Amino acid sequence: MSETTGTRTVTGRALAVLDTFDAKHRRQSLASIARRADLPLTTTHRLVHELEKQDALVRGSDGDYEIGSKIWRLGMLASVHADLREVALPYMEDVYQLGSDAVQIAVLDGFRCLIVDRIAGSRSLEVMSKPGSRLPLHATGVGKVLLAHGGSELQHAVFNSLDKFTDQTITDPGLLDSQLKSIRTQGFAWTREELAEGAISIAVPLRGKGGNVIAALGIVAPSDGRDLGKMVPVMQVTGAALSQKLVEAGLGETVRPQSELN
């Protein structure tokens, strides 16, 4: 144990715990956190328990921990997310006014997508997405767009962990890979009750400087028989126009959570 461990303040030790999480350590066991923070296991257990109560950390079903919603909400205040939201908001409002139940924008966050902003009214169905939510890539429209353009390393990692949420969730790697190829060719993604029963979605890529896909724009609606197909051209035109604005705003690199920018 480091000689400085005993002299750290409680705040310093809590930040040391949070600092153990990075792009290569998104999920960690308690022992891993203690080792990387250079803290006794008992101290780490106490700090992690308190951070979990405050939603700064969340414990998965396997017992490992990852960054919680409170940290992501604070990360929304970062300029990179603020810029993205500011540029995208008028376009999201335009799509919403056309009768969409919910409009959302998401960025890639490791093996999940992070909902940066969302517009929904009283008519919107109950969905799992809200600003700060981290949703699976393989079961959401915005997630599939980001996964399709995320590269082979990301795709292979996701293929090894295809959780099932409904009877419609695609858990076959071959089938999902074929769908990702179609998304890249057609320029949009479509899901039908793959994350939640009763919900369907459409999403399109948003590109920055150099043509990089830096985010995804999507709509979510009830699967009540309505024809969402007519919204595909609208979403594609909106996505192209918004992409041009993102280029003009200088957003060209993949937008990442604040924890990865340090």
Side-chain angles (χ1 to χ4, degrees):
M1 184 176 66
S2 169
E3 294 180 0
T4 63
T5 299
T7 64
R8 294 188 208 176
T9 64
V10 173
T11 302
R13 291 194 291 270
L15 289 174
V17 167
L18 295 175
D19 280 343
T20 65
F21 293 87
D22 56 28
K24 295 183 179 179
H25 301 86
R26 299 182 183 279
R27 294 179 61 85
Q28 298 186 86
S29 66
L30 188 65
S32 173
I33 297 171
R35 183 177 64 256
R36 287 173 47 76
D38 197 13
L39 291 170
L41 191 59
T42 53
T43 300
T44 304
H45 181 272
R46 184 173 66 253
L47 290 169
V48 165
H49 180 64
E50 181 61 30
L51 289 168
E52 185 182 7
K53 288 197 302 182
Q54 299 297 326
D55 292 329
L57 291 178
V58 61
R59 187 182 185 187
S61 58
D62 59 357
D64 286 352
Y65 293 88
E66 61 182 319
I67 293 295
S69 61
K70 177 170 290 187
I71 300 299
W72 297 123
R73 288 196 297 271
L74 291 173
M76 293 297 175
L77 301 176
S79 60
V80 64
H81 285 144
D83 290 345
L84 176 60
R85 296 169 71 188
E86 181 179 356
V87 175
L89 185 57
Y91 295 86
M92 296 174 66
E93 290 175 339
D94 286 346
V95 173
Y96 180 71
Q97 291 300 324
L98 292 175
S100 301
D101 286 79
V103 184
Q104 58 193 19
I105 189 169
V107 299
L108 184 64
D109 171 31
F111 301 145
R112 293 176 181 267
C113 62
L114 175 68
I115 303 300
V116 174
D117 206 355
R118 176 173 178 260
I119 300 176
S122 58
R123 68 175 182 270
S124 177
L125 77 168
E126 186 67 26
V127 294
M128 298 174 66
S129 62
K130 58 184 178 181
S133 298
R134 299 172 65 242
L135 305 179
L137 293 173
H138 70 288
T140 58
V142 287
K144 286 186 178 184
V145 166
L146 296 170
L147 181 60
H149 296 276
S152 59
E153 184 177 351
L154 171 66
Q155 291 166 13
H156 291 156
V158 172
F159 290 166
N160 290 326
S161 181
L162 297 177
D163 295 330
K164 189 176 184 66
F165 300 98
T166 72
D167 290 341
Q168 302 302 316
T169 306
I170 296 177
T171 57
D172 180 276
L175 181 58
L176 180 58
D177 185 47
S178 177
Q179 190 175 79
L180 296 180
K181 292 176 181 176
S182 296
I183 291 170
R184 290 193 295 272
T185 300
Q186 298 175 357
F188 69 93
W190 189 306
T191 65
R192 298 177 184 275
E193 300 188 321
E194 294 176 36
L195 180 62
E197 293 183 359
I200 57 179
S201 68
I202 295 174
V204 296
L206 298 177
R207 299 178 184 273
K209 293 169 60 177
N212 299 317
V213 173
I214 63 174
L217 175 69
I219 57 177
V220 182
S223 55
D224 55 5
R226 72 179 65 185
D227 180 17
L228 262 193
K230 63 183 180 181
M231 288 298 296
V232 172
V234 173
M235 292 294 289
Q236 290 181 313
V237 170
T238 302
L242 177 50
S243 293
Q244 182 59 42
K245 285 294 183 181
L246 293 174
V247 171
E248 294 173 2
L251 293 175
E253 299 297 328
T254 301
V255 178
R256 300 182 185 278
Q258 180 68 8
S259 60
E260 293 187 30
L261 299 176
N262 298 327

